[in-house]
Amino acid sequence: MTEEQVLRLFKCLSDKSRLRILRSLSKEDMYVERLAQRLDLSPATISFHLKKLEETGAVVSHREQYYIVYSFCPEIFQHTLLEMVQTDSPQESEQEQREADYRKKVIASFMEYGKLKSIPAQKKKERILLEEIAKVFKAGRNYTEKEVNLLIADFYDDFCTLRKDMVAEKLLVRKDGIYRKV
Amino acid sequence: MIKQMQEFTNYLLVEKEACTAQADKLCKDSRMDECNLQKIRANIFDIFGTMLSVGCKQSGGDAEKAQQFFLQKLDTIPQSWKISLAAAKQHGDFQKQTAEELKLQTVEQIRKKFAELLEASHD
C-alpha cells in the first residue's frame, strides 16, 4: 500500500457509521436498502459511506438483478498496522533534505568557528545544537563529569548549562556520576 | 401575512437549530461526514432566514413585496448549486454531488413549506 492509500483508509475508518457498515458486511453481503434498514440510516447516507469505503478498497460491489450488492473486502485488512505505518513516503527524501538544510542553517547561525555563540531560546534549535555538540562523545564509552565538562567547555563557556540540557534532552545519561552518550 | 412571515422566520430558525443540534450529536458520536452534512443543511436554513429578513426590511412592511423577493431568492440562489451538481456528476465527485443534492433538497423543503404558508394566508 502507498502512503496515500494508508491515509485514505485510516481517514475512512475513523467514522462510526462506516465501521458499523463494515461490521455488517463482514457477516454477509448486502445492498443499500438492507443496510439502511439494519443500521437505521437513510439509504442516501449509506450510499455515501459505501462509496467512500469502495474508494479505499474496503468494500467491493457487484450487480445482482436489480440490486447492487456490497461485499466486505478482507484483503486490505490483512496488512498489519506496523506494515501500514512503515509505508514509505515518496516525499521522505525531500523532507530529509529540508531537515538537513534547516539544521545547517541553525548551526551556521548559532556557531562560529566551532564555538556556540549563544543558546537559542527555541527548544528545537537548541536540540539541533546539542546534537551537534554531542558528536564529540563516543557511543558506549563512560565519561566522568570532569571529562564531560572539558569536552563541552570547548563549545561554550557555560558548560554546566550545556551539560544539564544534554541530560534533559536525553543525549547523555547520567548514572552514579558517570555519563554515557545515548 | 406579516404574522405568517414571522412564523416562517421562526420555522427556519427552529430547523437550523435542529440541524446544528443534530450535527453536534453526530460529531460526538464520531460520525463527522454526517455531521458536516447536517452543518450544510443548517447553513441553508440560515441563508434563507437571512434572505427573508432582508426581504421584509427592503419591502418596508409590504408583505407581497417581501414574498416576491423571497420567492425570487429561492430560484436564483440554488442556480449555482445546480451547476455544481452537474459538474460533480460529470466528474464522478460523489462527495460534492451528495453535498449539492442535499442543498437542493433543503431548498425544496423550504419552498414547500413556504408554499404551504402562502396557501394558508389565502384561505
Side-chain angles (χ1 to χ4, degrees):
Chain A
M1 286 175 92
T2 65
E3 188 188 46
E4 202 188 324
Q5 286 170 322
V6 172
L7 277 171
R8 210 186 299 158
L9 181 67
F10 284 164
K11 274 186 195 171
C12 185
L13 295 181
S14 63
D15 184 286
K16 194 175 176 181
S17 297
R18 286 197 280 274
L19 279 180
R20 289 175 70 211
I21 290 171
L22 276 180
R23 206 175 298 139
S24 293
L25 290 179
S26 69
K27 289 171 192 156
E28 57 175 313
D29 294 357
M30 268 182 256
Y31 49 92
V32 172
E33 287 73 14
R34 180 95 192 273
L35 272 166
Q37 208 175 18
R38 183 172 283 198
L39 301 177
D40 195 24
L41 291 169
S42 72
T45 304
I46 293 286
S47 292
F48 175 84
H49 288 310
L50 281 170
K51 276 180 185 153
K52 278 207 153 185
L53 287 165
E54 211 174 5
E55 267 188 356
T56 63
V59 302
V60 285
S61 62
H62 64 276
R63 190 173 276 279
E64 267 181 29
Q65 292 178 337
Y66 301 111
Y67 296 104
I68 294 176
V69 177
Y70 289 85
S71 317
F72 180 70
C73 204
E75 291 82 10
I76 203 139
F77 297 100
Q78 280 163 0
H79 295 276
T80 65
L81 273 177
L82 185 65
E83 280 170 357
M84 289 197 243
V85 167
Q86 285 176 339
T87 304
D88 279 339
S89 158
Q91 296 145 354
E92 217 153 66
S93 56
E94 271 177 45
Q95 281 171 6
E96 277 169 8
Q97 189 56 48
R98 273 202 297 272
E99 189 65 33
D101 290 345
Y102 179 71
R103 286 179 74 90
K104 263 188 207 168
K105 202 177 145 191
V106 171
I107 291 165
S109 302
F110 286 90
M111 288 183 100
E112 194 174 50
Y113 308 123
K115 281 204 93 156
L116 193 62
K117 290 194 275 186
S118 63
I119 298 177
Q122 259 187 46
K123 276 275 161 202
K124 190 181 172 186
K125 288 180 179 171
E126 189 191 0
R127 169 88 195 181
I128 289 170
L129 293 161
L130 293 175
E131 282 174 356
E132 188 64 19
I133 294 168
K135 285 179 184 170
V136 293
F137 297 102
K138 286 178 184 159
R141 205 197 125 174
N142 291 338
Y143 294 88
T144 63
E145 194 167 285
K146 196 176 172 188
E147 285 174 311
V148 172
N149 289 345
L150 277 171
L151 283 167
I152 59 177
D154 285 342
F155 292 93
Y156 196 55
D157 293 340
D158 185 2
F159 52 80
C160 289
T161 303
L162 271 190
R163 192 189 64 234
K164 281 176 194 163
D165 287 356
M166 287 176 106
V167 173
E169 284 291 322
K170 295 186 173 63
L171 293 166
L172 291 178
V173 279
R174 182 187 166 173
K175 199 181 172 190
D176 303 326
I178 296 297
Y179 293 80
R180 281 172 77 92
K181 188 179 181 181
V182 176
Chain B
M1 185 63 192
I2 291 294
K3 189 186 155 218
Q4 270 124 344
M5 288 297 219
Q6 281 166 349
E7 263 176 39
F8 197 65
T9 305
N10 197 39
Y11 160 78
L12 293 171
L13 192 67
V14 167
E15 288 293 318
K16 181 196 154 186
E17 281 170 1
C19 290
T20 307
Q22 181 67 5
D24 287 346
K25 201 175 145 194
L26 289 164
C27 175
K28 283 179 192 147
D29 201 23
S30 300
R31 291 158 70 183
M32 283 316 291
D33 283 326
E34 288 164 60
C35 162
N36 289 335
L37 292 175
Q38 282 302 322
K39 283 183 184 168
I40 289 173
R41 269 174 63 77
N43 196 28
I44 304 301
F45 286 113
D46 192 38
I47 289 169
F48 284 96
T50 307
M51 287 303 130
L52 192 63
S53 154
V54 169
C56 288
K57 270 185 198 160
Q58 283 187 359
S59 64
D62 184 339
E64 193 69 27
K65 267 190 189 172
Q67 178 195 318
Q68 284 310 313
F69 177 88
F70 189 69
L71 282 171
Q72 193 193 4
K73 292 294 171 191
L74 276 171
D75 285 333
T76 54
I77 292 176
Q79 284 309 315
S80 61
W81 302 339
K82 285 178 186 165
I83 294 166
S84 286
L85 175 62
K89 277 183 181 170
Q90 198 183 349
H91 294 94
D93 183 350
F94 78 91
Q95 289 205 64
K96 183 91 178 153
Q97 189 180 328
T98 307
E100 298 304 326
E101 277 171 353
L102 186 68
K103 282 153 113 179
L104 292 168
Q105 277 166 18
T106 311
V107 172
E108 282 318 301
Q109 182 187 330
I110 295 170
R111 191 195 300 278
K112 199 177 160 196
K113 188 77 186 171
F114 195 63
E116 281 171 18
L117 174 108
L118 290 182
E119 216 168 287
S121 71
H122 293 311
D123 290 342

